[in-house]
């Protein structure tokens, strides 16, 4: 029974962390089946995403620092969307005032929602990284993975080589997390695979509700090719590495400020006791 309770508690924390993606999926479903007045569907989706983002910060569900990370992911995702749509990898066939070069601006929020989930889950589960590799390995690897999404259209697709490098670099890395007061751990590479798989499931739901359209779905919806799991896996790795690096930098900066503040506390002797501080 304890295992069941822990699993349910873990699932509930995950569900809360997925609030932004759930709102996006619900909006996709509602706007697909319910005619929206005044504006095209893509524009309503953009308005809903903006309002949701504003409400999450206003309600304290996301911090301003997390908003900065999510905004960064919005730009990264939008750049990828502009390129992929231009190359014909997928399309957004509906009309919209907020479309730029064939890409509706709401699409960036689908990438931002992944960052939102990572930030929320990180805080709720008190995630801690163990044996995290050096930034000299992490940053070039994340950059190479992201660039490969662009360069494979003109050069070799090295995603499998990059996947092998991920396994080598993070072979000894673990992620620790807390569920209802108990600490657990999981190989970091396994967490990448699990998140990537569930995003692939989410992609099937999104394409079913016409969030975007692959060439083989032009006539009728069909299951997204399972090979896309590898693409989402690599994108999740990029997302995780960016969030983890920013959080480590923030933690290091906070610890440095705390250390400097402690150094400024004067030591006094005499009646207050030898070597003791006021505090």
């Amino acid at each position: 029974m304890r295992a069941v309770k822990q699993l349910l508690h873990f699932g509930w924390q995950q569900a809360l962390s997925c609030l932004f993606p759930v709102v996006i999926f619900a909006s996709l479903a509602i706007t697909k089946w319910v005619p929206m007045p005044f504006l095209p569907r893509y524009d309503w989706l953009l308005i809903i995403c903006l309002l949701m983002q504003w409400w999450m910060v206003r309600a304290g569900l996301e911090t301003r620092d997390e908003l900065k990370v999510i905004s960064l992911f919005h730009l990264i995702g939008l750049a990828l969307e502009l390129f992929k749509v231009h190359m014909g990898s997928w399309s957004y066939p509906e009309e919209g005032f907020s479309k730029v070069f064939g890409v509706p601006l709401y699409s960036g929020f689908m990438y931002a929602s992944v960052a939102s989930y990572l930030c929320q889950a990180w805080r709720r589960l008190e995630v801690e990284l163990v044996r995290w590799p050096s930034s000299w390995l992490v940053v070039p690897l994340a950059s190479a993975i992201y660039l490969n999404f662009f360069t494979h259209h003109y050069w070799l697709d090295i995603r499998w080589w990059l996947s092998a490098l991920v396994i080598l670099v993070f072979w000894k890395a673990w992620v620790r997390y807390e569920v209802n007061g108990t600490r657990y751990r999981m190989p970091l590479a396994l967490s990448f695979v699990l998140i990537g798989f569930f995003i692939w499931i989410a992609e099937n739901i999104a394409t079913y509700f016409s969030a975007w359209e692959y060439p083989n779905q032009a006539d009728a919806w069909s299951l997204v090719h399972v090979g896309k799991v590898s693409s989402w896996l690599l994108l999740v790795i990029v997302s995780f590495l960016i969030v983890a690096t920013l959080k480590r930098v923030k933690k290091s900066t906070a610890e440095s400020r705390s250390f400097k503040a402690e150094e400024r506390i004067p030591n006094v002797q005499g009646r207050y006791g030898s070597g003791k501080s006021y505090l």
Side-chain angles (χ1 to χ4, degrees):
M1 287 302 298
R2 172 172 169 76
V4 172
K5 289 180 180 179
Q6 290 293 90
L7 182 61
L8 290 175
H9 186 82
F10 177 76
W12 175 244
Q13 294 300 317
Q14 290 286 339
L16 291 176
S17 301
C18 289
L19 184 59
F20 202 163
V22 167
V23 168
I24 291 179
F25 287 135
S27 302
L28 288 170
I30 292 171
T31 56
K32 179 178 175 62
W33 302 114
V34 178
M36 303 300 292
F38 308 119
L39 292 173
R41 179 180 180 229
Y42 289 161
D43 299 320
W44 276 112
L45 289 169
L46 175 61
I47 292 172
I48 292 170
C49 288
L50 287 170
L51 289 175
M52 181 61 187
Q53 186 67 82
W54 172 82
W55 177 79
M56 290 190 72
V57 175
R58 180 80 175 181
L61 295 176
E62 285 179 353
T63 65
R64 293 187 179 274
D65 285 339
E66 290 171 347
L67 177 61
K68 295 174 184 176
V69 175
I70 291 167
S71 300
L72 173 63
F73 273 89
H74 189 284
L75 296 176
I76 291 174
L78 197 57
L80 186 59
E81 287 289 319
L82 289 168
F83 179 79
K84 289 293 186 178
V85 168
H86 174 72
M87 297 302 295
S89 298
W90 55 79
S91 63
Y92 294 88
E94 299 180 31
E95 296 297 324
F97 295 110
S98 58
K99 290 180 73 173
V100 178
F101 298 110
V103 177
L105 296 180
Y106 90 86
S107 63
F109 280 101
M110 291 187 286
Y111 295 85
S113 68
V114 176
S116 175
Y117 159 75
L118 289 174
C119 291
Q120 293 274 329
W122 201 295
R123 178 162 27 88
R124 294 179 187 279
L125 299 176
E126 299 185 18
V127 170
E128 177 187 0
L129 300 176
V130 181
R131 295 182 179 178
W132 181 257
S134 168
S135 297
W136 294 104
L137 293 173
V138 171
V139 174
L141 180 58
S143 301
I145 291 172
Y146 183 69
L147 287 175
N148 186 64
F149 285 110
F150 298 86
T151 58
H152 82 84
H153 287 278
Y154 307 103
W155 192 55
L156 297 175
D157 186 356
I158 58 173
R159 72 177 68 185
W160 299 113
W161 292 100
L162 292 170
S163 300
L165 278 175
V166 167
I167 294 175
L168 289 174
V169 170
F170 293 99
W171 181 257
K172 296 183 179 180
W174 292 76
V175 56
R176 287 180 180 169
Y177 56 97
E178 184 172 309
V179 179
N180 204 21
T182 303
R183 300 291 291 178
Y184 298 93
R185 71 173 189 168
M186 177 188 298
L188 190 56
L190 177 59
S191 69
F192 291 154
V193 173
L194 291 176
I195 297 174
F197 175 72
F198 284 110
I199 292 179
W200 175 75
I201 293 177
E203 181 183 30
N204 278 281
I205 298 173
T207 53
Y208 178 77
F209 290 127
S210 303
W212 65 90
E213 186 179 274
Y214 286 106
N216 65 315
Q217 297 173 328
D219 297 327
W221 181 85
S222 60
L223 195 68
V224 177
H225 192 276
V226 70
K228 284 289 183 179
V229 173
S230 63
S231 298
W232 283 114
L233 168 63
L234 292 173
L235 191 62
V236 165
I237 292 170
V238 173
S239 305
F240 193 96
L241 297 186
I242 292 175
V243 172
T245 301
L246 292 175
K247 283 187 173 292
R248 286 172 66 86
V249 168
K250 182 180 179 181
K251 181 180 178 181
S252 177
T253 302
E255 290 176 349
S256 176
R257 289 176 179 174
S258 177
F259 179 75
K260 290 180 179 179
E262 290 177 358
E263 284 186 330
R264 288 196 295 269
I265 298 176
N267 288 337
V268 295
Q269 298 181 354
R271 59 176 180 167
Y272 295 105
S274 175
K276 300 293 182 74
S277 71
Y278 283 111
L279 300 179

